Amino acid sequence: MRSFATKRWAGIEGLTLLVVAIGVLTTSSGLILAGIIGFGYAAYTKLWDAPVADVSIDRELGDEAPAPGETTGVTLTITNTGSKWLSDLRVIDGVPPALETIDGPARIGTSLRPGETTTCHYTVSVVRGKHTWDSLRLITRNPSGSRERETVCEVSTTLRCTPPLHAGANLSLHGLTTPYSGRVTTDVGGYGIEFHSTRAYRSGDPLNRIDWNRRARTGTLSTLNFREERAATVILLVDSRKEAYVAAEPTGRNAVERSVDAVATIFSSLISNGDRVGIATMSPTECWIAPQSGKTHTARVQEALATHPGLAPTATEGTLYHTLWFNRFIRRLPADAQVVFCSPFVDDRPIYTARRLHAYGHLVTVITPDETTADTIGDRIAAIERQHRLQTLRGNGIRVVDWGDEPLPTAVMAATQRWSQ
Amino acid sequence: MSGETTSRGQTRQETINRKPAAASSYAAIFLSLLAAAVLVLGSLVGATIAAVGALITTVSVYRGRQKGVTLGALMTTGAIVAAGVLGAPPAPLLGATGCAILAWDIGSSAIDIGQTLGHNADTARLEAVRAAFSLFVTSTTATVGYAIYVLAGDGQPMTALVLLILGAVIIIAVYRQ
């Protein structure tokens, strides 16, 4: 980039001439001599242009794949590969927006002779996702600071942070299931463990299901039915619109991050129960993984939860056309799928989504991270509004897990006790 | 809630402490006070005005106000002019001018470095090199000025000095081309 004048020393010639003129008029030799310093500086500011930052930069990460919540050191090594002395070199590293610099700013001001090397070290706290450092800004100035030149230097470094999947919370599902056997107890009589009903014997019924007690008592044959246990198809839907990126504290984890945590936990517990589970987002950058089961599917979901831009720890740009999104989503949704919907419910849009899904016959369970606080009147009104929204959902027969500060399994347990099957 | 609770959607970068760089700030405050102290040898009135200038510079550097530092430097310049008009000898005037211009240069670059890189960034070397350059320019020009004064002697006409200055202006004009 071309250098430009900082106008830092603007007016020094005029001021000096004024002082000298006063010195001449009052015959004060001291003032005239003082003018020499001023003129010296005026000449100094005209010396040299801002040098071109001819440097090589290397960025090294302490750990390229740390676990979420860990910290990792970043070391910048800057070497002056040009032939000019960079007397005033300022380097500003472009830290990915989701990472927090916790030890020293990612910036350094230095002075490098040709061939000389300096390092800058800082630490970032890592969150889930794929984070890329793209560019650095280099600012050089001439010694007087009257000219400046800014260069952007491309040095790409990628850090991947994939959270492990831990099964933790057993979310009891609704009775909407697939024909495949699984763990969800249904109201269908057949093979199973829990008693369901008895019916008249039909030839061909297995011997072990004949009610022999009744046969002994009355002499008629009847067959026992048990509740069938079947597998469910579940879509885990995350609200990651810009509005959902809210946190109770400025440094706390936001609702989307907590939703993704909940999804990861529920996903692994459901998939290990034999259910078919898929992932979807309600966001401008849409994510859709059709419900399946198996190890490959698990690996794909784990990767998506870590790095998909629609589930990123910071909001993505773009507009969500809600009706279009919903129509597309409902078309993709298998007819027998239930939906687990994670949203902080900070506006009315998710209510509309949940109620429409419910109306279409997909049973909906809502998991809502509570990010409201009670610090100010406004905060309390927001909390009341949110409670009112959840009340509306419960009134519509939608199951709600209100997830505060407690661990997710505790919240699920507390909510499950209230649900009538 | 999105309005009331802290929405932290966009980025999670650290909030940079944009206070001025420490070492340069102290140097600037010291130099502005030194300018006032040196001016005591020339004129008490001048020294008093310069002390006000030093106070403005100190407060401005502490609060990171670029314009305030310039105002403080202009105040000190006014003090030097006042001292010169009241007949102060050249040596304290030269000393005070050197200190005042150094104070402004180092103080304003402390604020600038704080704005660009932050108070906690490692900027020691940058500050040292910049200050060394400024010190060299000041001491060289002040020495040249004083040498001219001594060589020219008291009896020499003022026009010789003025012509010298004019020569300097022409040199600067040539540099500007």
Side-chain angles (χ1 to χ4, degrees), chain A residues 332-368:
Chain A
R332 284 165 161 178
L333 201 60
D336 56 4
Q338 334 189 355
V339 178
V340 174
F341 184 26
C342 298
S343 168
F345 280 88
V346 289
D347 57 349
D348 288 337
R349 194 52 90 178
I351 298 197
Y352 171 78
T353 309
R355 286 167 73 177
R356 268 191 87 181
L357 283 171
H358 196 71
Y360 272 87
H362 299 280
L363 298 176
V364 179
T365 305
V366 163
I367 295 180
T368 167

Side-chain angles (χ1 to χ4, degrees), chain A residues 50 163 202:
Chain A
R202 288 182 214 136

